[in-house]
Amino acid sequence: MSHHATDRTYTIKEAAALTGLPASTLRYYETIGVISSISRGASSKHRVYGEDDLDQLMWIACLAATGMSVSDMRQYIANGQTGPSAAAGQIELLSNQADRLAEEAEHLAVRQRYVRLKIDYWHAVEAGDSERAELIGGEAGTLADTLRRAKKS
């Protein structure tokens, strides 16, 4: 009889390599309840990850990559175990995360604009175009103020 892929188990080292999450993070997520307890080997008592565990860890890794808080990831997993009745909660969690990411993207765009202005400034300096350098320097100063305000909020 052939072995099914679902029968495969993984060590913590293999699970870490497959998910991109360090072994210490896998242990931490288990300890604080982001993921359910992982079964242990009968003789070694080492963690033994199954396909379902890896599937859940892949979702967690993706959520972590978005910058989602551990608290929100824990809630996401709890909601997911509830099933369809938790859809509204899942939508809210993910919508809030999407809003946070959009705000981060806006801040990143401002920082990129600042760097491009500074590059243009130094091109103008290099070319001896002091009038253009002064104009760009003024723009960069205004943008720097925007960056400082954004950092405080």
Side-chain angles (χ1 to χ4, degrees), residues 75-93:
Q75 187 61 53
Y76 181 86
I77 294 301
N79 288 351
Q81 292 169 348
T82 302
S85 64
Q90 297 296 64
I91 292 167
E92 182 180 358
L93 274 173

Side-chain angles (χ1 to χ4, degrees), residues 115-129:
V115 169
R116 283 192 301 272
L117 279 172
K118 294 305 283 186
I119 290 168
D120 289 348
Y121 169 83
W122 286 106
H123 278 301
V125 168
E126 183 179 51
D129 189 345

